[in-house]
Amino acid sequence: MVRVGDYHFFSPASSKIYEDYRKEDDQFENDRYLEYLSAPIRFEQWADMFKKVYEDHAYAGIPFVFLTLFRDVVFKVDNNCPFLYAYGQSKSGKSKFAESISNLFFREMPAFNLNSGTDFAFANRLARFRNCPVFFNEFDDNVVKDEWFQALKGAYDGEGRERGKGGSKRKTEIQRINSTLILAGQYLSTKDDNSVLSRSIMRPFKIKRNRSEEQTRTYNELKKLEKEGLGGILTEILAHREVVEKTYYQEFNEVFKELGKIIRSQDDYYDERVLRNYSALTTMVKIFGSFFSLPFTIADYKKWAIHEIVNLSSMINDNDVLSDFWNIVETLLDQGEISEGLYFKIDYRASVKVLKGSQTDVVHFNKPKALLFLRLKNVHPIYASFKRRTGGHPIDLTSLTSYLKDRSSFIGVVNSERFEDRATGRSFPTSAFVFDLNELGIALDRESMAPVTTIEKANEDPEIEFDNKDEDLPF
């Protein structure tokens, strides 16, 4: 029993009555993750550590903490609240990022794995907490049950499931969604016309090598603090609830209008739902920037938000643009408008040296990999011309470059790769984009019969020995 002012509160999860219950019979097991502990650091220290560890992802993560703590206030504006969606390769850091946000609220509460679990556990996790984040891991369009996928979509609008009440067949109740959602998975969701993307603050994660000693040290320190418990930090933020309740609506409308006006002045396109999602984050930064020293200014944050709004809106609007681009590249090759050697080349390598800022970095593979080296600036005008001839609208080079770089098939940019004009025999070094050909899933190797020619030559000349094993061939 706890007394707060004139009120008394009973917390059954903390009662000794249940301390001898078996774990499987403990109905309050999940509640115990939500625990107040005096934090060893202040919020501003946590925010600085979070920014050092997760870098630009902190632009989404830190304001999402504010958004979550005041979800009920945010929800009243449009009857919705955005998700935080992190996707990328395994071991790219997306789950640790989500855990660090969740661990600010809960003491190491495990994520809900969308590859397992019961329907009841899934629905209960959605409805159990108020103004807290719920972390769903292994989010994948092809794996998640369709009814779960629809429930996740509905959570954006606070829609819960209807269930029986008190064992009665005649009485029902709605399980309301009062929490924010954090989704993490390896693949970008495009199901139902990008329904999840349009509801999300999206963060693409990539494997990062050669982290600095300071960043590694800060990461280890942050994870240690998470184990000890950081819930006390939230009271610093909750102390400003009255201000948020009074000012959020007006501040949101002003931010929404301002960001939309800037994007229109740049002749860029935005999806209104996406604009609203990022306006909610920006509003929180604007409000709490006057209470805390955040690791970014409101001016810098608006620039970041505008970039993200335009990028995600274009991605939603042109979600099939990359498939269309690669299909056209194949057609241009078949029609002889581009040729291997001059516009692209395919090579099998165990490593490749790519640009990293003004420096270079060597990317190593476990075994030789089929790499596509593409002279994108040379191919793009031909692609654009073909697109116009066939009645379409080509995507500009800048946007295409951004989309290509966001895919896991993109490896990097090489500063100097030797290409050859086979018509003239002239060879020359130039820069090129590098992709994992197998992951692209396109057929550009029109010379895949070259090894067979070698085999035929070996069969014609008995003095040549050739080990004809499929696993030794590069195709």
Side-chain angles (χ1 to χ4, degrees):
M1 297 291 293
V2 180
R3 180 177 179 178
V4 181
D6 296 330
Y7 295 91
H8 289 78
F9 295 90
F10 171 51
S11 176
S14 302
S15 175
K16 292 183 178 180
I17 295 173
Y18 300 98
E19 66 181 3
D20 295 325
Y21 270 51
R22 292 186 303 176
K23 188 175 181 180
E24 58 266 30
D25 296 330
D26 186 1
Q27 61 179 312
F28 300 109
E29 177 187 357
N30 287 330
D31 294 341
R32 292 192 180 92
Y33 292 112
L34 187 62
E35 178 183 16
Y36 172 81
L37 292 167
S38 181
I41 59 173
R42 307 281 292 178
F43 170 74
E44 290 178 351
Q45 293 173 285
W46 176 87
D48 286 338
M49 293 175 70
F50 191 87
K51 177 66 165 63
K52 287 179 181 178
V53 172
Y54 298 110
E55 299 176 325
D56 286 352
H57 298 304
Y59 281 81
I62 294 173
F64 193 76
V65 171
F66 301 142
L67 193 77
T68 298
L69 278 173
F70 303 102
R71 179 198 175 276
D72 58 324
V73 177
V74 173
F75 191 83
K76 290 178 183 178
V77 175
D78 285 321
N79 290 323
N80 57 55
C81 188
F83 311 149
L84 182 59
Y85 178 25
Y87 76 95
Q89 298 168 268
S90 177
K91 299 180 180 179
S92 59
K94 58 187 182 297
S95 295
K96 295 300 180 183
F97 166 76
E99 285 174 5
S100 288
I101 297 174
S102 178
N103 286 340
L104 196 59
F105 293 76
F106 305 102
R107 191 174 184 182
E108 293 196 293
M109 183 178 186
F112 186 95
N113 192 315
L114 290 168
N115 286 332
S116 58
T118 65
D119 291 340
F120 174 80
F122 171 77
N124 192 53
R125 185 67 71 95
L126 276 174
R128 196 173 191 96
F129 300 101
R130 182 186 300 274
N131 289 0
C132 291
V134 178
F135 176 20
F136 289 100
N137 207 357
E138 303 301 334
F139 177 66
D140 184 342
D141 288 351
N142 299 315
V143 174
V144 177
K145 298 178 184 178
D146 186 61
E147 57 268 31
W148 287 12
F149 183 88
Q150 299 305 324
L152 292 174
K153 283 173 51 181
Y156 176 81
D157 303 303
E159 297 174 359
R161 72 168 184 169
E162 188 173 0
R163 65 177 182 179
K165 183 177 182 180
S168 173
K169 294 182 179 180
R170 297 181 180 180
K171 294 182 178 180
T172 62
E173 64 179 358
I174 302 296
Q175 281 186 299
R176 300 294 179 187
I177 310 300
N178 298 307
S179 57
T180 60
L181 269 62
I182 304 178
L183 305 175
Q186 290 192 38
Y187 307 104
L188 187 67
S189 174
T190 57
K191 188 175 180 179
D192 288 1
D193 295 326
N194 303 287
S195 57
V196 169
L197 282 185
S198 66
R199 290 165 166 80
S200 299
I201 306 300
M202 188 191 70
R203 297 310 304 155
F205 277 74
K206 298 179 181 179
I207 294 176
K208 181 177 179 180
R209 298 174 176 83
N210 302 323
R211 293 183 182 273
S212 67
E213 291 184 8
E214 181 184 8
Q215 193 173 34
T216 301
R217 184 176 61 254
T218 304
Y219 169 81
N220 292 332
E221 184 180 352
L222 179 61
K223 289 301 175 182
K224 180 183 177 182
L225 290 169
E226 289 173 11
K227 288 181 179 294
E228 296 173 1
L230 292 171
I233 287 177
L234 300 179
T235 58
E236 294 183 55
I237 306 171
L238 288 169
H240 304 288
R241 179 173 176 84
E242 186 176 347
V243 175
V244 176
E245 288 178 324
K246 289 181 178 179
T247 64
Y248 179 81
Y249 179 78
Q250 181 178 346
E251 294 286 5
F252 173 84
N253 286 329
E254 290 178 1
V255 168
F256 177 78
K257 292 176 182 177
E258 179 185 1
L259 297 184
K261 183 178 180 180
I262 293 173
I263 295 172
R264 288 192 299 272
S265 70
Q266 298 173 171
D267 291 328
D268 283 322
Y269 163 79
Y270 66 81
D271 178 280
E272 184 167 332
R273 179 182 281 176
V274 173
L275 175 61
R276 288 187 174 278
N277 293 341
Y278 281 87
S279 293
L281 286 191
T282 308
T283 301
M284 287 299 179
V285 173
K286 185 177 180 182
I287 292 174
F288 283 97
S290 61
F291 299 124
F292 300 108
S293 178
L294 300 177
F296 34 70
T297 65
I298 183 61
D300 288 339
Y301 196 86
K302 287 178 181 178
K303 292 178 182 178
W304 175 85
I306 289 170
H307 175 269
E308 295 298 312
I309 292 166
V310 172
N311 184 53
L312 183 54
S313 297
S314 299
M315 185 179 294
I316 292 171
N317 189 49
D318 301 310
N319 68 309
D320 290 328
V321 70
L322 292 185
S323 296
D324 181 59
F325 169 75
W326 290 117
N327 289 335
I328 290 177
V329 168
E330 287 189 71
T331 301
L332 295 174
L333 178 62
D334 291 334
Q335 294 182 355
E337 295 194 47
I338 64 174
S339 59
E340 184 173 359
L342 181 59
Y343 290 92
F344 70 92
K345 61 183 280 188
I346 298 170
D347 199 3
Y348 288 80
R349 298 183 188 178
S351 65
V352 63
K353 185 182 293 185
V354 299
L355 288 173
K356 187 177 181 181
S358 59
Q359 306 296 319
T360 57
D361 187 28
V362 179
V363 180
H364 296 277
F365 312 112
N366 294 329
K367 58 182 180 180
K369 179 174 290 194
L371 302 181
L372 170 66
F373 295 81
L374 180 71
R375 299 177 65 197
L376 184 60
K377 289 184 179 180
N378 297 78
V379 171
H380 182 266
I382 305 174
Y383 145 80
S385 176
F386 178 91
K387 191 72 176 174
R388 295 189 187 96
R389 292 200 309 267
T390 54
H393 299 282
I395 182 173
D396 63 271
L397 180 59
T398 301
S399 298
L400 178 60
T401 300
S402 176
Y403 294 160
L404 289 171
K405 287 183 175 181
D406 279 339
R407 294 300 172 93
S408 58
S409 56
F410 175 74
I411 294 174
V413 177
V414 294
N415 187 41
S416 181
E417 183 66 28
R418 186 161 291 278
F419 285 76
E420 179 184 1
D421 184 352
R422 296 178 182 177
T424 63
R426 183 177 66 90
S427 66
F428 51 92
T430 186
S431 60
F433 281 59
V434 188
F435 301 91
D436 183 332
L437 184 60
N438 291 330
E439 193 165 342
L440 284 176
I442 59 175
L444 292 179
D445 192 356
R446 297 299 188 266
E447 297 182 357
S448 60
M449 295 300 291
V452 178
T453 304
T454 307
I455 296 172
E456 293 171 348
K457 183 176 180 181
N459 291 334
E460 293 172 0
D461 190 344
E463 294 182 3
I464 297 179
E465 295 182 1
F466 195 92
D467 187 8
N468 187 11
K469 294 181 181 179
D470 289 344
E471 61 269 27
D472 293 333
L473 298 178
F475 54 82

